[in-house]
């Protein structure tokens, strides 16, 4: 199709009513899935999606039956790349499940709901009632697929739904759809923010959770996820498990249904630890301080409020988290001193090539690393990096303080050919002083450097 035809198609699609655009998009998506006229289907879909993006969250998005079906799953969805914990569902699993429901899981209910949305018959409450009917039909279809077949038939049926990750999410999707009303009620009863999560708040939350449909092994993690989203620190969810067990002994806690709360807290810490490792490896330090605080408080909270044995599953997972944190932090901390020395090393004038320069980006990256070491000091003990952090920070302070004085002095009588490079080194060391000693000290060094240059300029004119 030539460019003129594409422009005409674009104009035609843009003029369609939103509900017609939505209906057309669904039909072409199905055609593409079946492989019918794939080139044409993909071309039309591409133009329709561009129109949808330009119009924002328009009416056609609100009419999407898949979004209506799964709208109540939004608080529990995570993106690809996140290691799943109880109470979470992969966002990428939703569309394959919708397609399976429309194809063979609950096709009559799916098509009836699509028709209701496409024609917009009835009030908003009527459409919401239709959505609830469809959600219950979807939950029942999922339950039948998981339980009402022989092993061989079940495996064949699950294989038609999607990838193993989609099948893994299937039971959780069904549980949330089935418990939707109870989860909605819980969501409305919970405070918007649980700052302290002390005894009175714990008692209030326990009363809200005391609903039979939320106490099943599949539904409870999602109810606990709603609570976790309101906590100032997600690890505090373990306090519900301790309350139910009436003890901080991990064996008694693990024996209750709420033992899953400890697993959820540990998994969240593991995910934060992985995020910290990724950020550090990519040189992104803006979120490191928050990650470290989350990990420090979580590890300390679990060790303080639970009697966890070192040889238990929870104990081994907690130990693995601390080891992972220690390894990634220690290797990064140990390399900071070398970077600082390489930038500030005072070589003889003859060894400095003409036009030599310091990379300002590298200077700022190194300053961020020095600040990273300073932040690590606040959490060093709990994260098993106390010795290396204190040693490195002390070495940095001594080296930078001593080198700053030497570099400033070199401005007084250095070779004119390398003075620009020396000035860059002085600028770098002043930046490092700001991180290590504060603004007052770095300002003092700046004035000393300016005075040294002034004295050198006067000496040059007098000569």
């Amino acid at each position: 199709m030539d460019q003129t035809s594409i422009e005409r198609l674009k104009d035609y699609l843009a003029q369609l009513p939103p509900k017609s655009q939505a209906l057309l998009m669904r039909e072409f998506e199905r055609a593409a899935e079946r492989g019918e006229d794939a080139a044409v289907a993909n071309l039309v879909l591409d133009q329709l999606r561009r129109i949808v993006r330009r119009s924002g969250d328009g009416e056609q998005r609100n009419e999407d039956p898949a979004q209506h079906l799964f709208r109540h799953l939004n608080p529990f969805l995570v993106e690809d790349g996140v290691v799943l914990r109880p109470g979470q569902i992969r966002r990428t699993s939703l569309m394959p499940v919708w397609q399976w429901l429309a194809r063979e899981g609950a096709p009559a209910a799916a098509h009836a709901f699509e028709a209701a949305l496409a024609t917009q018959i009835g009030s908003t409450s009527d459409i919401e009632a239709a959505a609830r009917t469809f959600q219950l039909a979807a939950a029942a279809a999922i339950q039948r697929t998981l339980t009402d077949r022989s092993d061989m038939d079940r495996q064949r049926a699950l294989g038609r739904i999607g990838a193993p990750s989609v099948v893994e999410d299937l039971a959780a999707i069904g549980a949330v759809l089935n418990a939707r009303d109870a989860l909605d009620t819980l969501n409305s009863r919970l405070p918007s923010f649980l700052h302290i999560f002390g005894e009175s708040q714990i008692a209030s939350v326990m009363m809200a959770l005391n609903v039979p449909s939320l106490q099943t092994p599949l539904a409870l993690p999602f109810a606990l996820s709603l609570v976790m989203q309101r906590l100032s620190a997600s690890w505090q969810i373990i306090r519900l498990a301790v309350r139910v067990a009436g003890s901080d002994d991990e064996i008694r806690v693990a024996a209750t249904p709420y033992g899953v709360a400890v697993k959820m807290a540990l998994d969240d810490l593991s995910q934060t630890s992985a995020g910290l490792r990724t950020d550090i490896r990519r040189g992104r330090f803006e979120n490191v301080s928050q990650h470290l605080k989350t990990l420090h408080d979580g590890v300390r909270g679990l060790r303080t409020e639970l009697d966890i044995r070192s040889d238990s599953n929870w104990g081994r997972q907690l130990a693995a988290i601390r080891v992972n944190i220690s390894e990634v932090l220690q290797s990064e901390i140990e390399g900071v001193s070398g970077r600082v020395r390489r930038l500030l090393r005072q070589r003889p004038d003859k060894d400095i090539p003409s036009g030599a320069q310091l990379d300002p980006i590298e200077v700022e990256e190194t300053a961020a690393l020095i600040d990273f070491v300073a932040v690590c000091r606040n959490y060093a003990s709990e994260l098993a990096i106390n010795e290396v952090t204190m040693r490195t920070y002390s070495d940095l302070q001594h080296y930078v303080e001593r080198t700053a004085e030497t570099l400033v002095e070199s401005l007084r009588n250095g070779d004119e050919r390398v003075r620009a490079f020396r000035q860059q080194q002085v600028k770098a060391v002043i930046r490092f002083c700001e991180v290590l000693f504060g603004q007052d000290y770095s300002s003092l060094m700046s004035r000393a450097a300016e005075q040294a240059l002034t004295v050198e300029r006067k000496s040059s004119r007098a000569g």
Side-chain angles (χ1 to χ4, degrees):
M1 185 177 290
D2 58 30
Q3 189 62 37
T4 301
S5 299
I6 293 175
E7 289 300 323
R8 289 177 179 171
L9 173 65
K10 187 189 305 182
D11 292 340
Y12 170 75
L13 294 174
Q15 293 171 8
L16 291 175
K19 63 181 182 181
S20 298
Q21 291 175 347
L23 185 60
L24 193 61
M25 186 181 295
R26 288 196 293 275
E27 291 304 319
F28 274 103
E29 283 174 345
R30 289 172 180 164
E33 291 162 11
R34 294 191 298 266
E36 300 174 1
D37 297 325
V40 175
N42 289 328
L43 175 63
V44 176
L45 280 172
D46 180 60
Q47 297 302 324
L48 280 169
R49 286 164 179 161
R50 291 183 184 185
I51 293 169
V52 169
R53 284 195 293 269
R54 283 198 299 269
S55 61
D57 291 330
E59 188 179 1
Q60 64 270 35
R61 283 183 178 270
N62 292 332
E63 293 174 353
D64 183 354
Q67 290 192 3
H68 268 285
L69 173 64
F70 297 127
R71 181 163 55 89
H72 294 82
L73 275 65
N74 286 338
F76 316 115
L77 299 181
V78 295
E79 306 300 332
D80 280 349
V82 175
V83 179
L84 214 63
R85 65 152 170 79
Q88 291 180 335
I89 295 169
R90 300 172 184 87
R91 187 182 300 275
T92 53
S93 295
L94 300 187
M95 189 51 65
V97 172
W98 158 254
Q99 292 167 350
W100 167 75
L101 287 168
R103 186 177 64 248
E104 62 179 278
H111 295 157
F113 184 58
E114 282 186 287
L117 288 176
T119 57
Q120 291 191 330
I121 295 175
S123 64
T124 301
S125 60
D126 291 334
I127 293 177
E128 182 60 24
R132 185 55 183 144
T133 299
F134 184 25
Q135 288 169 341
L136 291 173
I142 290 172
Q143 180 67 16
R144 286 194 304 272
T145 302
L146 292 172
T147 60
D148 293 351
R149 302 168 184 243
S150 67
D151 289 343
M152 186 173 296
D153 289 343
R154 185 186 308 116
Q155 292 306 315
R156 280 199 294 265
L158 294 176
R160 292 194 297 272
I161 295 174
S165 60
V166 178
V167 174
E168 185 181 345
D169 284 331
L170 193 61
I173 291 172
V176 174
L177 293 177
N178 195 51
R180 183 202 114 171
D181 292 338
L183 289 169
D184 283 352
T185 301
L186 172 65
N187 205 27
S188 65
R189 293 181 63 185
L190 290 174
S192 59
F193 184 60
L194 296 163
H195 180 63
I196 299 175
F197 207 43
E199 284 299 317
S200 61
Q201 291 180 320
I202 291 172
S204 175
V205 169
M206 288 301 304
M207 287 182 61
L209 287 168
N210 190 23
V211 177
S213 59
L214 296 181
Q215 297 299 312
T216 67
L218 282 174
L220 182 58
F222 293 98
L224 294 176
S225 284
L226 291 177
V227 179
M228 290 177 78
Q229 292 166 16
R230 288 160 166 79
L231 297 174
S232 58
S234 63
W235 69 266
Q236 294 173 344
I237 195 68
I238 69 171
R239 291 173 180 170
L240 294 178
V242 173
R243 175 67 172 267
V244 170
S247 170
D248 66 353
D249 181 80
E250 71 161 321
I251 294 178
R252 294 183 62 178
V253 171
T256 72
Y258 281 74
V260 70
V262 181
K263 171 66 173 169
M264 294 166 69
L266 285 166
D267 287 350
D268 269 12
L269 288 177
S270 295
Q271 189 62 40
T272 302
S273 175
L276 174 67
R277 177 184 289 271
T278 299
D279 282 352
I280 289 176
R281 286 180 171 175
R282 294 178 179 176
R284 300 196 306 243
F285 291 93
E286 58 271 17
N287 296 322
V288 164
S289 179
Q290 183 58 46
H291 284 334
L292 286 173
K293 183 179 187 326
T294 299
L295 290 166
H296 171 271
D297 293 351
V299 170
R300 183 176 62 182
L302 283 161
R303 296 177 70 194
T304 302
E305 300 194 17
L306 269 179
D307 182 14
I308 299 180
R309 293 161 174 76
S310 59
D311 59 345
S312 68
N313 289 335
W314 290 348
R316 284 191 290 269
Q317 187 174 358
L318 185 59
I321 292 170
R322 296 186 77 209
V323 168
N324 182 64
I325 298 168
S326 176
E327 287 177 349
V328 67
L329 294 181
Q330 182 167 325
S331 62
E332 198 66 39
I333 290 169
E334 288 176 336
V336 177
S337 294
R339 291 188 61 155
V340 171
R341 282 177 164 78
R342 183 168 57 80
L343 288 169
L344 302 183
R345 183 167 61 91
Q346 193 170 7
R347 294 172 287 172
D349 289 352
K350 63 183 180 62
D351 292 342
I352 300 175
S354 179
Q357 292 186 341
L358 290 183
D359 183 352
I361 295 177
E362 185 178 6
V363 171
E364 283 304 310
E365 288 176 347
T366 305
L369 284 168
I370 295 172
D371 185 59
F372 161 70
V373 177
V375 170
C376 286
R377 288 187 310 152
N378 300 324
Y379 312 109
S381 179
E382 198 64 57
L383 301 181
I385 53 169
N386 196 53
E387 181 180 348
V388 66
T389 304
M390 298 307 175
R391 183 182 69 248
T392 300
Y393 192 77
S394 178
D395 288 348
L396 286 170
Q397 284 185 314
H398 292 147
Y399 177 77
V400 169
E401 184 178 24
R402 184 175 65 252
T403 304
E405 297 173 358
T406 304
L407 286 171
V408 168
E409 185 63 30
S410 71
L411 296 177
R412 299 181 188 277
N413 49 19
D415 189 332
E416 181 70 26
R417 181 181 62 85
V418 299
R419 183 170 293 118
F421 180 73
R422 297 293 191 201
Q423 286 180 271
Q424 291 176 21
Q425 284 189 305
V426 169
K427 186 178 180 180
V429 79
I430 291 171
R431 177 73 178 94
F432 299 159
C433 285
E434 180 182 358
V435 178
L436 286 165
F437 306 114
Q439 184 64 47
D440 290 344
Y441 187 85
S442 67
S443 298
L444 180 64
M445 295 307 302
S446 293
R447 290 194 294 271
E450 181 59 33
Q451 185 179 13
L453 284 171
T454 302
V455 170
E456 174 58 22
R457 284 194 292 266
K458 288 181 179 179
S459 299
S460 299
R461 288 197 296 270

